[in-house]
Amino acid sequence: MRRKKTVSLVLGSGGARGLAHIGVIRWLEENGYRIKSISGCSMGALVGGIHAIGKLDEFEKWVRAVTKSDMVKLLDLSLGMGGLFKGGKIINTLKDLVGDSRIEDLPIAFTAVAANLSRAREVWFDEGPMFEAIRASISMPIFFTPYQYRGEDLVDGGILNPVPIAPTFSDHSDVTIAVNVCGPPMDDPESIFADHEEELSPLTEAVSDFIGKIRSSIPRSSLNIKAFDIAAQSFETMQGAIARQKIAAYPPDHLLEVPKNLCTILEFDRAAPLIRYGYDLAQAELNGSLE
């Protein structure tokens, strides 16, 4: 029997577009490749970490079925604490769904990348509780509060390294595949969602509702949904530029790029087509090329 080719998989930062990572993983599994290691940032850390635990099936079923009311219940408000939401309810829900594990005990090597703001340096989590690593890596500025780790604030690793290829350097796998979900824009991205019912993203609407409730108690100019949108777009623009630099400096064997305009970072209600897009992208780019 032919030995399965081993893969070091790098899963990038990019909010809801990171659901495409699920489709890439599915294609690799179905086509006889063994994922030996995963290096992930933000949503890439979340999807990759849950796969490393061995519970991607449970997470995929949950994220495909999650509703607006479900998401609203998971948003623990934290006005005045460095971000709109604490993130604890989401992490605890995922722990209940898939369980927690220590990274060093898993069969797949795993690294989650966060950023230490005060020291302007990356923080690599390759041991310790999985969901501690994930919570640190997903701390998108403004949206989530920073994660306190050893007395210092950590935020989304996409600030410094949205496609963390470097942690895979010592893997000795057969091939390194990186998935950048801040790729060049595509024409007519809405065509990807043509067969799916359109509605406002649960998270986007929840943020808007939250801001509406607090507007009466704060200066009108200090916080509004437009300001959040601009901040999110700025963050994504920065991530895209840094991703291009990192990929040029450390080119993987294969690069898959999800267009940055495929959806916004909060459109988690589009899970099904995003997962399908990742699968189809892997099929188009990798089929026959990994032999």
Side-chain angles (χ1 to χ4, degrees):
M1 185 174 67
R2 182 172 69 91
R3 180 182 71 88
K4 287 187 176 181
K5 186 167 283 192
T6 58
V7 173
S8 291
L9 187 59
V10 181
L11 302 178
S13 168
R17 289 190 304 278
L19 293 172
H21 295 321
I22 297 174
V24 174
I25 291 171
R26 294 301 188 207
W27 187 90
L28 290 170
E29 289 184 318
E30 290 178 13
N31 287 273
Y33 297 94
R34 180 171 71 85
I35 298 173
K36 181 179 180 180
S37 77
I38 297 174
S39 173
C41 178
S42 197
M43 194 62 186
L46 193 154
V47 171
I50 291 175
H51 178 66
I53 291 174
K55 297 290 186 177
L56 192 60
D57 287 349
E58 289 83 350
F59 175 70
E60 181 177 348
K61 289 175 184 176
W62 178 80
V63 78
R64 284 176 179 269
V66 72
T67 65
K68 175 192 170 183
S69 61
D70 292 332
M71 293 307 303
V72 170
K73 291 175 184 176
L74 294 176
L75 295 174
D76 39 6
L77 307 182
S78 62
L79 183 63
M81 296 178 61
L84 291 177
F85 306 105
K86 301 175 186 176
K89 284 186 179 180
I90 290 177
I91 291 297
N92 289 334
T93 297
L94 292 174
K95 278 187 186 179
D96 291 342
L97 180 70
V98 306
D100 201 0
S101 299
R102 293 191 66 83
I103 295 171
E104 62 269 26
D105 295 335
L106 299 174
I108 296 175
F110 176 80
T111 304
V113 176
N116 183 315
L117 281 180
S118 62
R119 299 178 184 271
R121 59 188 291 185
E122 296 175 31
V123 179
W124 293 4
F125 288 85
D126 55 11
E127 60 182 9
M130 174 62 78
F131 276 98
E132 179 177 273
I134 290 172
R135 176 61 184 86
S137 189
I138 68 170
S139 301
M140 190 183 88
I142 298 179
F143 192 76
F144 283 129
T145 58
Y147 183 73
Q148 282 282 312
Y149 179 71
R150 298 178 179 176
E152 298 190 288
D153 286 341
L154 302 186
V155 297
D156 192 313
I159 289 285
L160 296 175
N161 195 352
V163 188
I165 299 169
T168 69
F169 285 171
S170 61
D171 284 350
H172 305 295
S173 58
D174 294 318
V175 64
T176 298
I177 300 171
V179 186
N180 173 25
V181 294
C182 296
M186 67 181 295
D187 294 330
D188 191 22
E190 287 302 312
S191 63
I192 302 299
F193 309 102
D195 296 331
H196 295 265
E197 182 180 353
E198 292 296 325
E199 62 181 55
L200 188 61
S201 163
L203 283 178
T204 300
E205 189 167 336
V207 171
S208 181
D209 289 347
F210 164 61
I211 291 171
K213 289 176 183 177
I214 65 173
R215 272 197 178 125
S216 59
S217 62
I218 61 175
R220 190 172 186 83
S221 63
S222 59
L223 184 62
N224 54 58
I225 194 66
K226 182 65 174 178
F228 176 80
D229 285 343
I230 291 172
Q233 291 174 30
S234 299
F235 182 63
E236 289 200 292
T237 299
M238 178 192 68
Q239 282 192 115
I242 297 172
R244 289 192 294 273
Q245 293 173 356
K246 294 290 185 180
I247 292 166
Y250 308 114
D253 297 307
H254 297 277
L255 175 64
L256 306 181
E257 295 201 282
V258 176
K260 63 184 179 182
N261 65 337
L262 188 60
C263 73
T264 68
I265 59 175
L266 297 180
E267 291 183 288
F268 288 91
D269 53 313
R270 292 179 154 185
L274 289 168
I275 293 168
R276 184 188 64 201
Y277 186 89
Y279 185 95
D280 292 345
L281 178 65
Q283 170 71 17
E285 297 294 329
L286 300 176
N287 190 36
S289 67
L290 298 181
E291 300 300 328

